[in-house]
């Protein structure tokens, strides 16, 4: 139940920030960032991978209808699972956030450039990446307190 409420809250935040609080300097990716917190909330890591696929699919339905997010969420959850198989610290969590947002943004950037053949400059990619880090660092530090990862 705690996982469901957390995901519902995360989707609500994502939708609110993207549709109603449209600030060009902030690009929230709360649902993507929540994959880190979900890793600590879900005991069975196979269920974690399945939930990440479902989460990516729902994210695709809401935002893009391309189903690339389903694959990206799964790949990112595999990366998170491999990173957190040993000792955990808040620095490692923030570094993981930095990494997964970069992988996600770079993958979408390459998808837009190669598949859709849009002119999308590297400056836009870098600005979006740096801007998304700000709000997502705040999100992850608020929700990823020591109680979630102290048992690892």
């Amino acid at each position: 139940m705690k996982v469901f409420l957390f995901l519902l809250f995360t989707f609500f935040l994502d939708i609110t920030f993207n549709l109603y609080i449209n600030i060009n300097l902030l690009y929230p990716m709360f649902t993507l960032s929540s994959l880190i917190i979900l890793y600590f909330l879900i005991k069975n890591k196979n269920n974690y991978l399945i939930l990440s696929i479902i989460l990516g699919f729902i994210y695709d339905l809401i935002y893009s209808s391309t189903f690339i997010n389903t694959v990206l969420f799964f790949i990112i959850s595999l990366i998170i699972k491999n990173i957190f198989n040993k000792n955990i610290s808040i620095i490692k969590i923030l570094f993981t956030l930095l990494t997964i947002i970069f992988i996600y943004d770079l993958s979408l950037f390459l998808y837009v450039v190669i598949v859709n053949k849009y002119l999308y400059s590297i400056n836009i990619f870098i600005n979006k990446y740096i801007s998304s880090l700000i709000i997502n660092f705040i999100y992850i530090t608020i929700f990823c307190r020591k109680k979630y990862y102290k048992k690892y």
Side-chain angles (χ1 to χ4, degrees):
M1 185 66 168
K2 186 180 356 178
V3 172
F4 176 74
L5 290 174
F6 174 71
L7 287 176
L8 195 63
F9 176 73
T10 300
F11 269 115
F12 176 75
L13 270 181
D14 249 345
I15 291 169
T16 302
F17 267 80
N18 287 319
L19 295 178
Y20 302 112
I21 308 173
N22 193 358
I23 302 171
N24 290 334
L25 299 175
L26 301 175
Y27 295 99
M29 289 190 249
F30 299 132
T31 307
L32 182 69
S33 301
S34 73
L35 289 176
I36 294 173
I37 299 166
L38 284 175
Y39 179 83
F40 300 113
L41 293 176
I42 299 174
K43 294 188 189 293
N44 184 341
K45 299 313 173 199
N46 290 329
N47 289 345
Y48 167 72
L49 294 175
I50 292 168
L51 185 63
S52 70
I53 292 170
I54 294 168
L55 196 58
F57 180 75
I58 293 169
Y59 198 80
D60 271 323
L61 290 176
I62 293 172
Y63 291 108
S64 67
S65 299
T66 61
F67 301 108
I68 189 169
N69 287 307
T70 306
V71 174
L72 286 175
F73 273 52
F74 177 68
I75 291 169
I76 287 170
S77 65
L78 284 175
I79 292 168
I80 291 169
K81 185 178 173 191
N82 287 325
I83 289 174
F84 291 138
N85 63 1
K86 295 186 181 181
N87 58 353
I88 310 294
S89 69
I90 195 67
I91 301 300
K92 197 172 192 180
I93 291 169
L94 293 176
F95 178 74
T96 303
L97 179 68
L98 179 96
T99 305
I100 64 170
I101 290 176
F102 179 77
I103 290 169
Y104 182 80
D105 278 346
L106 181 63
S107 299
L108 288 182
F109 172 76
L110 292 174
Y111 176 79
V112 167
V113 170
I114 294 169
V115 175
N116 293 338
K117 298 182 179 166
Y118 289 124
L119 295 175
Y120 192 59
S121 76
I122 196 76
N123 290 335
I124 294 172
F125 165 72
I126 292 170
N127 288 337
K128 183 184 178 301
Y129 174 66
I130 292 170
S131 299
S132 66
L133 286 179
I134 296 167
I135 191 74
N136 288 295
F137 271 152
I138 294 168
Y139 172 79
I140 204 80
T141 52
I142 289 171
F143 286 101
C144 202
R145 295 174 301 237
K146 194 168 186 157
K147 73 175 188 175
Y148 291 129
Y149 63 87
K150 67 181 176 186
K151 62 185 172 193
Y152 291 93

